[in-house]
Amino acid sequence: MRWHPDFLDGYESTDLALPDVRPAAGEPADVEMVATLVRRTPAERHRRAVLYVHGWNDYFFQTHLADHLTDIGFDFYAIDLRRYGRSLRRGHLRGFITDLDDYGLELVAAADAIAENHDQLVLMGHSTGGLITSLWAGKNSGRIDGLILNAPWLDLQGLAMVRTLGSPVIEALGSSLPTSVLRLPESGFTARALHSSLGGEWDYDLDLKTSSAPIRVGWLRAILLGHQRVAAGLHIEPPILVLASSASELARRWHEGLRTVDTVLDVDKITRRATQLGRCVTIVRVDEALHDVILSAPNVRKIAMDEISRWIDGYVQHPQ
């Protein structure tokens, strides 16, 4: 495995080849499909590691999270899934997938690479990444020692596209016309709450994390099927930490109060659904947190980081 300097200072990355993944309709057949594994340097300092999985229309840039986890004794890795961020190639359909279990290819490859030099692995996922990691952990509990979920997307909470079309229509279209785009308005609230050019704190790449990524019906069907599996119970064996804001506001118009709530998910429904994940679930509601809890204001995210540390101390044993 060859590591190269990443565009984030103090990080390096490597491509995980996915030669068996067939292109979706409309994608070029001659463009490679990869996922990208990123790690903080210097690497291999600890016997414990964290693997972070981003959310929808996202990529890894949360270096302060990596700093904190390194400080408490973990090597830090993150993965940009196929068709996202560092892994998005010419002609690819951004974020497209028809079965969330397909991400098992890159998650297994990443876990195998990390296991070569580490005795423990804690998996962490945000939003859609929280759904993906939960489903994978349900089938691969023996591969991880803990699961941290940052505002995981575990319930559909009545999105406008579902209210308009209905689940049966999405099921039918998702099977027959999976790459069809659902034309929906984009509020831009996430970027306005986060990006430094719009009054937020963070200077992430607006091409890799855009405000206008298309929603394709096959992807939405995959999400719906994932939610159904969570509702039925995943029976994840390792301990689970769920972080979420204390409040949601699914507003139509911007106001400054949206900088202190989750504007993406209904956190009450998410935290109720989280009890279906496994037998040992710790739920922490963080006052004034954004959807991505660790991108909240400094005093708010410090609370979240402290909760992560406390949970690890209580539930994730040191390797023997």
Side-chain angles (χ1 to χ4, degrees):
M1 181 172 288
R2 292 187 176 182
W3 294 89
H4 308 280
D6 189 62
F7 57 72
L8 292 177
D9 188 33
Y11 289 78
E12 56 189 6
S13 58
T14 186
D15 287 345
L16 302 176
L18 303 172
D20 296 329
V21 176
R22 301 179 63 182
E27 289 185 324
D30 61 341
V31 177
E32 63 179 351
M33 188 73 66
V34 302
T36 308
L37 188 61
V38 184
R39 70 182 182 183
R40 187 181 186 273
T41 57
E44 300 174 12
R45 296 176 60 190
H46 305 287
R47 298 306 300 173
R48 306 197 290 177
V50 170
L51 174 62
Y52 173 84
V53 182
H54 59 80
W56 160 248
N57 186 29
D58 209 347
Y59 72 105
F60 168 67
F61 64 92
Q62 296 87 343
T63 56
H64 62 292
L65 172 66
D67 292 343
H68 176 76
L69 290 166
T70 300
D71 287 344
I72 63 173
F74 287 83
D75 283 345
F76 183 88
Y77 294 77
I79 189 168
D80 281 8
L81 300 169
R82 70 184 79 169
R83 301 187 177 102
Y84 284 98
R86 297 165 177 82
S87 306
L88 186 64
R89 299 292 189 265
R90 174 183 58 83
H92 284 172
L93 305 182
R94 183 187 295 263
F96 182 69
I97 203 82
T98 57
D99 186 342
L100 298 182
D101 282 345
D102 288 349
Y103 289 126
L105 287 177
E106 49 254 60
L107 292 178
V108 167
D112 286 347
I114 294 168
E116 291 180 5
N117 296 291
H118 299 86
D119 300 320
Q120 285 189 332
L121 177 62
V122 172
L123 189 59
M124 182 174 185
H126 166 56
S127 197
T128 305
L131 175 60
I132 292 166
T133 53
S134 295
L135 296 173
W136 188 80
K139 293 185 173 182
N140 297 273
S141 286
R143 297 297 308 266
I144 64 173
D145 297 275
L147 176 64
I148 301 172
L149 301 176
N150 170 12
W153 192 15
L154 305 179
D155 186 290
L156 202 58
Q157 88 274 341
L159 287 180
M161 66 187 84
V162 178
R163 293 198 302 269
T164 301
L165 298 176
S167 296
V169 175
I170 293 171
E171 172 67 30
L173 289 175
S175 299
S176 60
L177 299 169
T179 62
S180 298
V181 175
L182 293 168
R183 303 295 178 184
L184 298 166
E186 170 55 53
S187 70
F189 290 169
T190 295
R192 193 162 180 176
L194 294 178
H195 201 270
S196 57
S197 66
L198 298 170
E201 182 181 350
W202 308 99
D203 187 23
Y204 55 83
D205 189 316
L206 288 171
D207 290 326
L208 300 184
K209 180 180 174 68
T210 77
S211 295
S212 57
I215 302 294
R216 299 182 187 276
V217 69
W219 172 85
L220 182 57
R221 175 178 178 269
I223 297 293
L224 285 169
L225 293 175
H227 290 160
Q228 291 171 14
R229 287 167 57 190
V230 173
L234 294 183
H235 309 291
I236 297 170
E237 285 299 319
I240 303 163
L241 172 65
V242 178
L243 297 169
S245 178
S246 61
S248 295
E249 186 173 346
L250 307 181
R252 294 186 177 183
R253 294 187 178 183
W254 172 263
H255 61 83
E256 287 301 303
L258 299 182
R259 298 187 189 276
T260 60
V261 295
D262 190 323
T263 62
V264 178
L265 301 180
D266 184 328
V267 291
D268 291 334
K269 290 185 177 180
I270 296 304
T271 51
R272 285 197 296 269
R273 182 59 60 83
T275 61
Q276 301 297 110
L277 294 173
R279 62 180 182 81
C280 182
V281 182
T282 302
I283 298 173
V284 177
R285 304 287 292 270
V286 182
D287 289 343
E288 300 189 353
L290 294 168
H291 173 55
D292 190 335
V293 176
I294 64 169
L295 296 184
S296 302
N299 61 311
V300 177
R301 65 177 181 262
K302 182 182 184 304
I303 293 170
M305 299 292 194
D306 289 345
E307 292 289 354
I308 290 173
S309 298
R310 184 166 65 166
W311 177 82
I312 286 174
D313 285 343
Y315 286 98
V316 182
Q317 297 179 352
H318 283 272
Q320 300 297 319

